Amino acid sequence: MPRLIRFMLLTWLLGQGFHSMAQSARYQTRAGMVSFFSSSPLEDIEARSQQLAAVLDTRSGQLAFTVPIRSFQFKRSLMQEHFNENYLESEKYPKATFSGRVLEWKPETLTATGAVQVVAEGDLTMHGVTRHIKVPGTLTSLSNQVLINASFPVAPADYNIEIPALVRDHIAKSVLVTVRLACAPAAGATTVSQP
């Protein structure tokens, strides 16, 4: 076999190997759950979305997610209307995003038994404002999924979300955000083997 053909074949095989490695390092979901809750004397405020898209790079610990603001569902339609039109202005700011990484990431976390305590650090963007945050959570590796769970407080004032003076004193200064992700290997990726 001529050297040039051997070189081209080797280059192609290496390229396929790197492509396969890159694919196997990504876990993702398009149906994660994110909710928020705020207790108040007037009425508890609670909403949920199951349209949280997320990706985890298991080589580097990089983590990103995005959720459409309009996908949040409330018990009362009037509350949902006020949330979209007056508070989050979802026409102008249609999504919330997080981009960051799991601190002190070790790929062997994926072979641990049970839930592992982790902290993600990165930028949360919402209502046109980006803030750097740290979020504690857990990561659990199953045979074909990575489960990520986290809860953290968010203060609307930090994101220039204005609460009308009439109700400001009756609404909590922060809301508890909860994230639940079940990420599967990206298309064509291999699963993480358990010990």
Side-chain angles (χ1 to χ4, degrees), residues 2-195:
R3 256 194 282 206
L4 180 59
I5 293 175
R6 275 197 309 246
F7 176 76
M8 290 173 59
L9 181 59
L10 181 59
T11 303
W12 180 81
L13 287 172
L14 285 173
Q16 291 301 310
F18 287 130
H19 177 71
S20 177
M21 281 173 50
Q23 282 188 328
S24 66
R26 279 187 40 215
Y27 277 68
Q28 65 187 25
T29 184
R30 295 190 182 280
M33 189 281 294
V34 58
S35 65
F36 62 84
F37 177 81
S38 174
S39 182
S40 75
L42 291 178
E43 183 174 14
D44 290 345
I45 300 167
E46 187 174 13
R48 173 180 302 224
S49 170
Q50 292 186 314
Q51 295 182 28
L52 180 67
V55 63
L56 170 67
D57 183 320
T58 59
R59 289 174 304 176
S60 65
Q62 294 290 316
L63 176 67
F65 69 71
T66 183
V67 62
I69 297 299
R70 283 199 170 274
S71 67
F72 283 98
Q73 300 295 310
F74 291 75
K75 289 181 182 175
R76 293 182 41 216
S77 60
L78 183 60
M79 200 176 278
Q80 188 163 329
E81 183 181 322
H82 287 308
F83 172 78
N84 282 297
E85 293 178 9
N86 303 331
Y87 300 122
L88 271 287
E89 301 176 275
S90 57
E91 287 295 321
K92 189 174 180 182
Y93 308 107
K95 62 184 177 178
T97 63
F98 174 84
S99 178
R101 64 188 181 91
V102 177
L103 295 178
E104 299 178 21
W105 175 255
K106 296 180 184 82
E108 53 268 23
T109 300
L110 296 175
T111 58
T113 303
V116 177
Q117 299 291 323
V118 294
V119 175
E121 179 179 42
D123 294 327
L124 177 63
T125 301
M126 178 173 49
H127 197 242
V129 177
T130 300
R131 294 187 64 89
H132 197 75
I133 63 171
K134 284 187 178 179
V135 178
T138 62
L139 187 145
T140 306
S141 182
L142 302 177
S143 60
N144 63 347
Q145 285 188 324
V146 173
L147 307 179
I148 300 171
N149 296 305
S151 293
F152 56 99
V154 171
D158 288 346
Y159 295 89
N160 295 336
I161 299 169
E162 294 185 26
I163 308 298
L166 183 64
V167 296
R168 190 174 299 141
D169 294 335
H170 303 287
I171 293 180
K173 300 290 186 235
S174 69
V175 297
L176 181 65
V177 176
T178 301
V179 173
R180 302 274 182 260
L181 302 172
C183 299
T190 57
T191 58
V192 177
S193 59
Q194 293 292 314

